[in-house]
Amino acid sequence: MVASRLVEVLENLAYLANASNLVLYLSEYMHFSPSKSANSVTNFMGTAFLLALLGGFLSDAFCTTYFIYLISALIEFLGLVVLTIQARSASLKPPTCDLHAAPSVPCEQVHGTQAAMLFIGLYLVALGVGGIKGSLPPHGAQQFDEATPQGRKQRSTFFNYFVFCLSFGALIAVTFVVWVEDNKGWQWGFGISTFAIFLSIPVFLAGSPFYRNKIPCGSPLTTINKVLIAALLNSCVSRNSTSAIASMASSPSPPIRTGKENGQDSKSKDVESIETPSTSLSFLNRAVSDTPACGALECSVQQVEEVKIVMKILPLFACTIMLNCCLAQLSTFSVQQAATMNTKVGSLKVPPASLPIFPVVFMMILAPVYDHFIIPFARRVTKTEMGISHLQRIGIGLFLSIVAMAIAALVEIKRKSVVTDSGLLDSAKPLPITFFWIAFQYLFLGSADLFVLAGLLEFCFSEAPVSMRSLATSLSWASLAIGYYLSSAIVSIVNSVTGNSKHKPWLSGGNLNHYYLERFYWLMCILSTLNFMHYLFWASKYKYRSVRSSK
C-alpha cells in the first residue's frame, strides 16, 4: 500500500501544481478576463473529475483498476508535455502586454492554433486525471479483507490516509511548484508536473507483485439500464396473474455477504441469492417477471437489488454537489481576492495561489488525528464498528461549508471597505490588508472537504455492489465535477439576472474591486443551507446495508 500512497502524492502534485495557479496563468499569459479565467478553470477541473466516471466504468466493465491507472497516467503525461512546450515557446502564446504602461491598449487573448494547443493539453490532462481518480481509490481499497472487522478498519484508515496523501501532494504543489511558476517561469512548473506523473508509473509498477485485482464482471451500466427499462416495459404490458411476482408483503431486504473478495474471482458477489425482491423502491420489482416484455430484458432478483442499492446512494451523492460548488471558489475568486492584497510575510512575498496551504496543512493534521484519536474514541462511546458513520461525517462537512461561505462574505466586505478607505478602487497596487484574512474561508472549506471526500469515498465503496464499486466510488469525483460546472453556471446566471441597463452585473469586468463578490458569497451560503436541510432529509431515511432491517 506504500506504493499506492506515494503514487497518489505524485499524481495530485502533478495535477494541483497547475490547477491551483491556472487562473493566474490564463489571465496573465493567455489574457483572459477574471471571470473567463475562473470559468475556464472550473470547466477544466470539472471535466477532469467528471471523467472519473469513465475511469470507474472501465475498471468495472473491461479492464482492472491496475491497467486503467497505467493508461491514464500516460495520457496525463502527454498532456503535460504539450503544456510544457507551449509555456516554453513565446511563439505559441499571445504577445505580452503591460496594462500598467499602456492601460488603454487591450491585451490580445489567446486564439487560433495557440488556443487549440492550450485546450488540447489541458483536456488531455483532464482525461488522464479522470482515469486515475476513477481507478486508484478502488484499487487501494480492494486490497483489504472486508470479511473481518480488522480488514474493514484498515480500509477506513486507507481512505483517511488517501486524503492525507492528496493533501501532501497538494502541499508541495501550492508551495514549491507555485513558487517556481511565479519566479522561474511556467515552463518549469509544467516540467515538474510532467516529471512527477512520469515518476509515478514505475513507483506504481513496483508494487505489482503484491496487488489483488478484481476481475471485471461486465458493464454495471448495462445492469442498471436493463433493470430500469424492464421495470418500465413490464409495467406497460398487460400480464395475467401468473406472470406477476409473488406477494412481497413480508419480503425482507436482501442479506449482504461480506466475504473476502478474491482478486482472481471474476464472479464475486455481495448479495446472496434470494427468491423475492424487497419492498423498498417497489417499482423496480416489475423488472422481475415470469413473462418479461422482452427476452433480452429478463432480470434476476439479485440484479434488481443491486440497482436498488445504487438508487438509494444517488440522492446522498447529489447533496454533496453544493459543497464542491463552494470549493470551486478556492481556485478562482479566492485566489483573485488574495492577488489584490498584501501577500508579504516579512520579506517573503507569497504567491496568491499558495493560499491553499492553509486547508492542506490542516487536513494533513486532522486526517491522522481523526483516524487515531477521534474514531477510536467514538467507537468506545457508540459501541459501533464505525464510531462516526459515513453519513454523519458527510453532514459535518456540509455544515462547515455553510460557515465557510458566511466567513467568505464577511472577509470580502472587509476587503472592500479597505479598498474604499484607501482610495484604491481602480488601482492595481496591493491593498493595505494582509492576505491572511482569506485563510479563514480556506480553513473551513478545507475541513469540509476532508470530512465529505473521505466519507463519501468510503460510503460509496462499502455500500455499492462489488460489481459496481469502481463506478460508485467515482461518484465522489463526479460530485466535484458537477460542483465546478454548477459554479460556472451560477456565475453566469447571477450576471444575467443582476445585469441590466441600470445595474452592472455582480461578477463582470476586469477589476475585482468593482465586483459584488460579497453578495455572491451570501447567495452561496443560503444555497448551502438549503442543501444541508435537503441532505438531512435523505440521510435520516437511509439504512446501512449492514444494519438494514426488514420492511
Side-chain angles (χ1 to χ4, degrees):
M1 292 315 301
V2 174
S4 293
R5 290 172 179 171
L6 181 57
V7 164
E8 186 51 42
V9 171
L10 293 169
E11 185 277 327
N12 211 44
L13 187 163
Y15 171 62
L16 277 185
N18 304 308
S20 62
N21 207 19
L22 188 60
V23 67
L24 296 182
Y25 178 70
L26 295 179
S27 59
E28 294 178 6
Y29 293 91
M30 299 299 168
H31 306 150
F32 288 178
S33 68
S35 60
K36 188 168 184 179
S37 297
N39 280 350
S40 295
V41 172
T42 52
N43 289 339
F44 161 70
M45 298 179 76
T47 300
F49 289 124
L50 189 63
L51 286 169
L53 288 174
L54 177 62
F57 167 75
L58 293 176
S59 298
D60 281 332
F62 302 110
C63 299
T64 62
T65 52
Y66 177 88
F67 286 110
I68 292 298
Y69 173 82
L70 292 175
I71 294 169
S72 301
L74 287 173
I75 292 172
E76 184 176 352
F77 171 75
L78 291 175
L80 287 168
V81 168
V82 172
L83 293 174
T84 303
I85 293 172
Q86 183 175 41
R88 185 176 177 82
S89 175
S91 63
L92 298 176
K93 299 192 295 288
T96 57
C97 66
D98 190 348
L99 289 177
H100 301 293
S104 61
V105 179
C107 296
E108 180 184 338
Q109 183 177 306
V110 65
H111 66 281
T113 305
Q114 296 173 346
M117 185 174 186
L118 170 67
F119 287 109
I120 287 172
L122 284 177
Y123 285 95
L124 277 174
V125 172
L127 179 59
V129 169
I132 291 172
K133 299 299 186 190
S135 59
L136 195 56
H139 175 79
Q142 69 193 19
Q143 306 305 312
F144 302 101
D145 182 4
E146 64 179 1
T148 65
Q150 183 63 23
R152 293 190 292 273
K153 289 178 181 179
Q154 289 175 338
R155 186 178 65 191
S156 181
T157 295
F158 163 78
F159 281 112
N160 288 326
Y161 275 93
F162 180 83
V163 176
F164 175 88
C165 292
L166 283 174
S167 302
F168 187 60
L171 178 65
I172 300 173
V174 302
T175 53
F176 172 68
V177 182
V178 166
W179 180 87
V180 168
E181 289 169 346
D182 287 351
N183 293 275
K184 301 298 181 181
W186 269 84
Q187 67 273 22
W188 291 103
F190 283 129
I192 292 173
S193 297
T194 304
F195 176 75
I197 195 62
F198 178 78
L199 181 61
S200 74
I201 296 174
V203 171
F204 183 77
L205 289 172
S208 298
F210 309 102
Y211 295 146
R212 300 196 316 171
N213 294 303
K214 178 178 73 70
I215 303 302
C217 305
S219 171
L221 294 181
T222 300
T223 301
I224 294 172
N225 290 331
K226 184 170 75 169
V227 170
L228 293 176
I229 295 172
L232 178 62
L233 290 181
N234 289 346
S235 65
C236 297
V237 175
S238 297
R239 302 189 301 267
N240 56 40
S241 59
T242 59
S243 66
I245 304 174
S247 172
M248 296 174 290
S250 61
S251 299
S253 295
I256 305 303
R257 182 174 69 85
T258 53
K260 180 176 179 181
E261 179 182 331
N262 189 329
Q264 303 302 318
D265 184 4
S266 63
K267 296 184 179 180
S268 59
K269 300 175 182 178
D270 65 336
V271 179
E272 294 286 359
S273 297
I274 55 177
E275 296 181 356
T276 309
S278 63
T279 56
S280 62
L281 298 177
S282 58
F283 68 93
L284 291 177
N285 294 341
R286 298 167 186 168
V288 181
S289 174
D290 292 336
T291 56
C294 175
L297 296 176
E298 185 175 354
C299 300
S300 67
V301 174
Q302 177 178 310
Q303 289 175 324
V304 171
E305 293 304 318
E306 288 181 346
V307 173
K308 285 183 180 181
I309 293 171
V310 175
M311 295 288 286
K312 291 175 182 177
I313 291 175
L314 290 179
L316 296 162
F317 145 76
C319 290
T320 64
I321 293 172
M322 192 63 217
L323 163 70
N324 293 306
C325 183
C326 296
L327 282 172
Q329 313 317 313
L330 297 186
S331 303
T332 55
F333 289 124
S334 293
V335 174
Q336 292 170 339
Q337 281 177 285
T340 69
M341 303 165 82
N342 179 11
T343 60
K344 287 187 176 181
V345 179
S347 59
L348 176 65
K349 183 176 177 63
V350 179
S354 291
L355 269 177
I357 190 175
F358 295 107
V360 162
V361 170
F362 186 72
M363 289 168 70
M364 290 180 65
I365 295 172
L366 185 58
V369 169
Y370 180 86
D371 190 73
H372 295 291
F373 297 99
I374 298 177
I375 285 298
F377 175 76
R379 284 171 178 155
R380 288 194 296 270
V381 171
T382 62
K383 307 298 182 182
T384 61
E385 185 176 289
M386 287 189 290
I388 299 176
S389 71
H390 306 140
L391 296 183
Q392 288 172 340
R393 187 172 185 178
I394 294 170
I396 292 171
L398 295 181
F399 177 77
L400 288 175
S401 70
I402 299 172
V403 178
M405 286 294 96
I407 290 175
L410 294 173
V411 169
E412 176 62 8
I413 290 172
K414 180 172 180 61
R415 191 192 73 85
K416 292 284 287 289
S417 68
V418 172
V419 170
T420 303
D421 295 342
S422 304
L424 298 174
L425 187 64
D426 296 306
S427 174
K429 294 181 180 178
L431 300 173
I433 177 175
T434 177
F435 75 114
F436 280 110
W437 282 97
I438 304 292
F440 290 109
Q441 63 209 56
Y442 274 84
L443 188 63
F444 277 90
L445 275 176
S447 302
D449 189 28
L450 171 65
F451 279 100
V452 172
L453 180 58
L456 189 60
L457 281 168
E458 187 175 359
F459 171 72
C460 290
F461 185 89
S462 60
E463 292 295 298
V466 169
S467 61
M468 303 180 186
R469 278 182 167 174
S470 296
L471 182 62
T473 306
S474 300
L475 288 175
S476 305
W477 307 111
S479 175
L480 277 167
I482 300 171
Y484 280 111
Y485 286 134
L486 181 61
S487 175
S488 297
I490 290 177
V491 169
S492 299
I493 293 171
V494 164
N495 283 338
S496 177
V497 171
T498 59
N500 54 46
S501 58
K502 295 182 180 179
H503 299 91
K504 182 182 178 182
W506 286 1
L507 307 170
S508 67
N511 189 335
L512 194 70
N513 293 335
H514 290 284
Y515 283 32
Y516 293 101
L517 193 55
E518 71 283 0
R519 298 180 185 178
F520 176 70
Y521 284 150
W522 283 125
L523 174 63
M524 297 292 286
C525 182
I526 293 171
L527 293 176
S528 296
T529 302
L530 295 174
N531 178 70
F532 180 64
M533 296 170 64
H534 183 224
Y535 173 79
L536 292 178
F537 170 79
W538 288 107
S540 64
K541 288 182 170 294
Y542 189 84
K543 301 296 182 184
Y544 287 95
R545 290 169 47 196
S546 58
V547 294
R548 185 179 294 166
S549 59
S550 297
K551 297 181 181 178

